[in-house]
């Protein structure tokens, strides 16, 4: 199984960004896909999870209304749409895959990508 994030970059506060998580070696319809981030010097944070049924669970209050996830099964891809970026959103963003249901415990996810860096400038 391979997981690869892409789409990060350096952006201005207030702008939008879409990150992609391309998964190979399994069918995402059978798996929950979580999005996480880690800022320098901080613990890994679970942002939200796209469930097997296409639903979405938010785990971080600060991103509600600004972050959302969507799936594109034909390409085994899950997207993270980010709007109204804030400087505090600067972090490395990861996606990870877990069979069965979503969880807010990142230790329970089985396959991880290498991450994509998002830097938000004022």
């Amino acid at each position: 199984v391979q997981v690869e994030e892409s789409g990060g970059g350096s952006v201005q506060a207030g702008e939008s960004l879409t990150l992609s998580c391309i998964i190979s070696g399994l069918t995402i319809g059978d798996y929950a896909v979580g999005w996480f981030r880690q800022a320098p010097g901080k613990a890994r944070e679970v942002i939200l999870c796209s469930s097997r049924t296409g639903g979405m669970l938010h785990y971080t209050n600060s991103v509600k209304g600004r972050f959302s996830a969507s799936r594109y099964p034909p390409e085994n891809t899950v997207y993270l749409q980010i709007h109204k970026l804030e400087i505090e959103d600067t972090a490395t963003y990861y996606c990870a895959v877990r069979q069965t249901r979503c969880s807010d415990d990142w230790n329970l996810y089985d396959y991880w990508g290498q991450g994509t860096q998002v830097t938000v400038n004022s």
Side-chain angles (χ1 to χ4, degrees):
V1 177
Q2 290 188 319
V3 179
E4 183 175 3
E5 305 93 340
S6 62
S10 182
V11 297
Q12 296 298 114
E15 293 183 342
S16 298
L17 200 63
T18 297
L19 306 183
S20 301
C21 175
I22 301 174
I23 302 158
S24 58
L26 54 80
T27 301
I28 63 171
D30 298 327
Y31 290 80
V33 179
W35 280 97
F36 307 80
R37 66 184 180 185
Q38 189 165 18
K42 294 188 177 181
R44 186 168 300 186
E45 177 184 38
V46 57
I47 303 170
L48 53 77
C49 178
S50 170
S51 71
R52 292 178 297 167
T53 59
M56 185 170 57
L57 290 82
H58 281 91
Y59 294 117
T60 300
N61 288 330
S62 66
V63 306
K64 284 183 180 178
R66 299 191 300 118
F67 286 41
S68 63
S70 60
R71 293 182 170 223
Y72 189 59
E75 294 185 355
N76 241 28
T77 300
V78 178
Y79 299 100
L80 179 68
Q81 291 94 14
I82 310 173
H83 301 289
K84 299 180 181 179
L85 276 156
E86 302 173 354
I87 293 175
E88 293 75 20
D89 294 323
T90 295
T92 301
Y93 284 73
Y94 301 88
C95 64
V97 179
R98 182 189 186 219
Q99 198 165 20
T100 71
R101 67 185 67 181
C102 288
S103 173
D104 61 354
D105 183 351
W106 64 266
N107 287 289
L108 297 180
Y109 287 78
D110 301 307
Y111 306 105
W112 288 80
Q114 295 299 307
T116 185
Q117 177 68 36
V118 173
T119 302
V120 184
N121 305 299
S122 60

